């Protein structure tokens, strides 16, 4: 059991700004976005012309000059502006990291009006603080907060974000006391399923929620409606608002599902083993590549499957992150194990049984074990995790209990 007594936690609450405050928030967002785009432009310019790269520190020095020259930036807290440059730096680093890994990522892009939603005060108390239950932002004033629960620990950063249904504030907190959940003495491994959301090593599947499909259909319709309406028209703008709300709805449903699923796992098990996600290649299941020797007409179906898989993987990442946070806050642990060949190895005897992705059942020719492919992987993840921790794992060869399909 981990000795950790505190954890990190983010609390999000709805803001209730007055119309005048809302205009101020919009203005800050606008300035931040402009700064982001300007800084990006500068980096691209220097990169193309001189092959030089600009560091965030150089840009921060220029920020000072900018603030002196442009009065509209003067009344925005310097920490908020510095955070804009930090974001750009992070995007840039991620971009170059992916280039180094031989991928072909999209170049960091300029942010349009609908693509920049938040700004951050990086040090609580300096530009943003709480006072008698209200959020006080420097140069904007006191904003009313609709509290749903008390904030715990020490607030580190404050982020203001604009969503389809209004403004929100997120407090990122450290040193939040752990609220331990009762120990169950049970451990498991989990694997991302292809048909189900996940499966545990003891064979318990967590289905993908049904509302996903329904919400996705609604999303598609909202998309269509936008594309059918004339650009710049009032009707199109309205349709875009509906679309944004629809997006938000889907995001929230997914988030809720992830939270509920993670909580159930953390309640049931003391340790949960997962496959480590490689940063270079997010997807363990590579996107289908078109065969060079294949001369038949390509209908795009496999490409589409690849796309769906990558969306699925992004969801999985988000889920694992929530799971790790929940476990830390409940005094439980999540351990990542090396992912190599967890779906190929037999969880019964350890023999490697090669199978392509389309083979959904693991059939061992050595020990005769036959079970669902993902379940086999989940068991391997559990054994591997326990072995790595030096626990008396039910290693390959010892796990011979009869397993039904
Ligand atoms: Zn076997």
């Amino acid at each position: 059991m981990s000795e950790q007594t505190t954890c990190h936690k983010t609390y999000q609450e709805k803001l209730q700004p007055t119309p005048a405050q809302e205009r101020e928030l919009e203005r800050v967002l606008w300035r931040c976005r402009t700064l982001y785009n300007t800084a990006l432009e500068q980096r691209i310019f220097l990169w193309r012309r001189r092959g030089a790269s600009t560091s965030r520190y150089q840009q921060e020095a220029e920020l000072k000059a900018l603030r002196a020259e442009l009065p509209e930036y003067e009344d925005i807290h310097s920490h908020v502006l510095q955070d804009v440059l930090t974001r750009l730096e992070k995007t840039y680093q991620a971009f170059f990291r992916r280039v180094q890994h031989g991928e072909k990522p999209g170049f960091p892009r300029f942010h349009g009006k609908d693509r920049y939603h938040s700004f951050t005060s990086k040090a609580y108390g300096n530009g943003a603080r709480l006072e008698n239950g209200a959020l006080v932002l420097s140069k904007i004033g006191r904003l009313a907060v609709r509290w749903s629960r008390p904030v715990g620990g020490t607030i580190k950063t404050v982020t203001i974000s604009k969503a389809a249904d209004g403004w929100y504030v997120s407090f990122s907190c450290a040193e939040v006391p752990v609220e331990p959940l009762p120990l169950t003495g049970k451990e498991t491994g989990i694997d991302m399923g292809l048909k189900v959301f996940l499966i545990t090593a003891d064979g318990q599947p967590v289905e993908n929620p049904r509302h996903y499909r329904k919400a996705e259909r609604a999303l598609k319709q909202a998309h269509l409606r936008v594309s059918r309406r004339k650009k710049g028209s009032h009707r199109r703008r309205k349709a875009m608002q509906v679309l944004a709300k629809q997006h938000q709805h889907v995001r929230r449903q997914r988030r809720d599902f992830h939270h509920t699923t993670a909580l159930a796992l953390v309640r049931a098990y003391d340790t949960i083993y997962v496959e480590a996600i490689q940063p270079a290649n997010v997807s363990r299941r590579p996107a289908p590549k078109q065969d060079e020797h294949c001369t038949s007409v390509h209908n795009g179906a496999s490409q589409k499957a690849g796309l769906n898989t990558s969306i699925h993987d992004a969801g999985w990442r988000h889920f694992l992150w929530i799971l790790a946070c929940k476990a830390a806050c409940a005094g439980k642990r999540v351990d990542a194990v090396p992912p190599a060949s967890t779906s190929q190895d037999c969880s019964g005897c350890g023999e490697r049984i090669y199978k392509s992705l389309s083979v959904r059942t693991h059939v061992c020719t050595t020990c005769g074990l036959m079970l669902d492919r993902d379940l086999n992987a989940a068991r391997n993840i559990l054994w591997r995790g326990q072995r790595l921790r030096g626990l008396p794992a039910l290693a390959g060869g010892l796990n011979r209990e009869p397993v039904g399909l």
Side-chain angles (χ1 to χ4, degrees), residues 147-332:
W147 292 100
S148 63
R149 56 177 176 166
V151 169
T154 316
I155 304 173
K156 292 290 175 189
T157 66
V158 180
T159 298
I160 313 291
S161 52
K162 188 191 176 190
D165 65 345
W167 293 84
Y168 288 83
V169 58
S170 308
F171 302 98
S172 170
C173 301
E175 290 134 30
V176 182
V178 167
E179 290 166 36
L181 282 170
L183 298 181
T184 60
K186 290 205 301 195
E187 302 198 337
T188 196
I190 55 168
D191 188 39
M192 172 173 75
L194 200 68
K195 290 218 177 79
V196 293
F197 179 67
L198 67 81
I199 189 154
T200 63
D202 33 9
Q204 306 241 13
V206 175
E207 305 277 343
N208 275 308
R210 270 157 205 264
H211 55 240
Y212 270 23
R213 297 239 153 155
K214 220 170 121 195
E216 263 157 28
R217 261 203 306 279
L219 201 60
K220 220 177 205 170
Q221 270 171 1
H223 253 296
L224 265 175
R225 211 170 303 128
V226 170
S227 63
R228 274 200 224 106
R229 295 191 173 167
K230 223 174 97 191
K231 264 194 181 167
S233 71
H234 177 65
R235 276 162 58 79
R236 185 181 165 103
R237 218 169 28 249
K238 273 201 125 166
M240 275 166 82
Q241 273 166 8
V242 173
L243 177 65
K245 279 231 162 113
Q246 204 51 252
H247 262 298
Q248 191 188 33
H249 183 63
V250 170
R251 259 202 310 275
R252 279 203 185 139
Q253 274 188 330
R254 185 172 304 146
R255 193 183 61 190
D256 290 349
F257 169 65
H258 286 170
H259 274 279
T260 317
T261 310
L263 186 61
L265 284 170
V266 168
R267 272 189 203 286
Y269 303 99
D270 296 345
T271 305
I272 300 149
Y273 299 99
V274 301
E275 268 188 356
I277 295 178
Q278 303 110 300
N281 189 7
V282 179
S283 171
R284 168 168 62 92
R285 299 177 173 129
K289 276 188 200 112
Q290 214 174 329
D291 188 359
E292 289 138 29
H293 309 292
C294 176
T295 47
S296 63
V297 180
H298 187 69
N299 63 6
S302 68
Q303 267 171 346
K304 214 171 176 182
L307 183 69
N308 285 341
T309 314
S310 67
I311 289 169
H312 195 92
D313 281 354
W316 184 248
R317 248 169 196 267
H318 181 244
F319 169 72
L320 288 186
W321 181 67
I322 286 175
L323 181 66
C325 292
K326 276 248 188 306
C329 288
K332 307 266 183 133

Side-chain angles (χ1 to χ4, degrees), residues 346 348-351 364 366-369:
C346 175
C349 67
E351 190 75 22
C364 182
T366 307
C367 73
L369 180 69

Side-chain angles (χ1 to χ4, degrees), residues 65-103:
L66 178 81
R67 280 163 66 84
E69 270 175 54
L70 300 170
E72 60 263 44
Y73 280 96
E74 215 162 70
D75 55 2
I76 296 178
H77 199 278
S78 62
H79 279 184
V80 170
L81 297 177
Q82 276 166 24
D83 176 71
V84 172
L85 299 180
T86 310
R87 287 186 194 191
L88 178 63
E89 177 78 10
K90 276 188 187 150
T91 316
Y92 236 70
Q93 279 171 355
F95 168 73
F96 283 114
R97 205 164 40 237
R98 294 184 65 186
V99 168
Q100 274 178 350
H101 280 292
E103 291 176 60

